[in-house]
Amino acid sequence: MRKLVVFRDIDDEYVDEIRKIIPDWEIEFAVDDNGEISLKDAEILLGWDKRAAEQCLYDGTPLKWVQTWSAGVNDMPFEAFKKYGIILTNASGVHSVPISETLIGMMLAFARKINTYIRNQMNKKWDRSYNADELFDKTAGILGVGAIGLEVARLAKALGMRTLGFRYSGKPADYVDKMYGPANWEELLKKSDYVVNILPLTKDTFHIMNEERFKIMKPTAYYLNAGRGSTHDEKALIKALKEKWIAGAGLDVFEQEPLPLQSPLWDMDNVIITPHTAGDNGRYIERVMNIFIPNLRAYIYGNDQFINKIDLDKQY
């Protein structure tokens, strides 16, 4: 019997919909990380963890397709997937609304000094001396114009901002006034008042924001990252903040998580920290199912038009 293994609890309505597509399949749930379940005979995995890595990657494996719960796939065993011909799809797009709203919220907080006023409120301090700014007519430079980046650009345009984008293809996109490619993307850093990093982590993006590139940014500009922590050099970022190469940073992701208690970032007045929660929302499972169920139909009917199919060589 062919088998699907699901790594999270999902509502009965989704289970029923899946059973209509694969009525003769066995469906097992591996929700408990420590639960004993055999994955060796699974053909499809909805999710991935160390048990799957240990049990499913071997010569002759029946595993044909993995749909991840996350957008990030930088920890996946790409070489093994290529070796065994396993299709990989991710949950890109699931986070576009909550992450883009978080990033816009950080921009507004910096512009309107909300983070400063909250600190003052905690200390019962009435201080009107801060010069609040606005986002209107400012420039947002978006590193990584995928689903999230496009939503950031759309919201930024609604607030009257100019938008610049960087993607490796250099292909133009709606709501992005100018798109840059690998040859000239550093120009974006020079022109942006807010540099928004939503890049995936690959061998090409590791520490792409380093000391040299933080120095390119305006001293009045803010750096935001809700993509992957290792796409910037955290030591270089701390130096940039301390030496005022940039005005501040809004960070949801870090090179080490949880962020160590001794990190200077915790105590910086010009830093907003969220604990890798920018993508949290109450509709996560619904949005993953909106990717997985069409993909399941495509798989069963032999249609290769998968949503969010990962290029195993590019790793995104």
Side-chain angles (χ1 to χ4, degrees), residues 56-225:
C56 296
L57 303 177
Y58 61 91
D59 290 339
T61 178
L63 183 62
K64 297 293 188 292
W65 167 37
V66 174
Q67 167 72 56
T68 68
W69 281 98
S70 64
V73 292
N74 47 285
D75 292 329
M76 299 299 288
F78 292 101
E79 292 304 317
F81 275 41
K82 285 194 285 186
K83 178 180 178 180
Y84 300 123
I86 300 168
I87 297 166
L88 177 62
T89 55
N90 73 350
S92 178
V94 169
H95 305 94
S96 58
V97 171
I99 290 182
S100 61
E101 289 182 358
T102 298
L103 290 165
I104 293 292
M106 287 178 172
M107 289 189 218
L108 285 166
F110 282 126
R112 301 303 305 158
K113 307 299 180 186
I114 302 299
N115 59 318
T116 301
Y117 293 138
I118 288 173
R119 285 192 174 92
N120 286 351
Q121 178 184 347
M122 300 300 291
N123 295 311
K124 299 181 181 180
K125 180 181 179 182
W126 184 274
D127 187 347
R128 303 180 63 188
S129 65
Y130 305 103
N131 294 318
D133 205 342
E134 55 191 36
L135 295 184
F136 183 81
D137 212 28
K138 295 293 191 295
T139 298
I142 303 165
L143 307 181
V145 184
I148 299 169
L150 286 171
E151 184 64 9
V152 171
R154 187 185 72 82
L155 294 175
K157 294 301 288 182
L159 290 167
M161 300 182 76
R162 292 182 293 272
T163 54
L164 308 176
F166 164 53
R167 56 168 41 158
Y168 278 92
S169 69
K171 183 180 177 182
D174 291 340
Y175 309 110
V176 178
D177 296 324
K178 183 173 182 179
M179 188 72 74
Y180 295 89
N184 61 348
W185 74 275
E186 289 180 341
E187 184 180 334
L188 174 153
L189 300 178
K190 298 176 184 178
K191 295 182 175 182
S192 297
D193 299 296
Y194 296 87
V195 173
V196 181
N197 181 352
I198 330 168
L199 289 164
L201 179 60
T202 70
K203 60 182 182 297
D204 294 321
T205 63
F206 177 77
H207 283 190
I208 192 169
M209 286 300 297
N210 53 26
E211 186 170 316
E212 176 185 352
R213 285 168 177 149
F214 283 121
K215 285 181 177 178
I216 293 174
M217 290 175 59
K218 299 179 183 179
T220 55
Y222 294 87
Y223 171 75
L224 313 179
N225 191 350

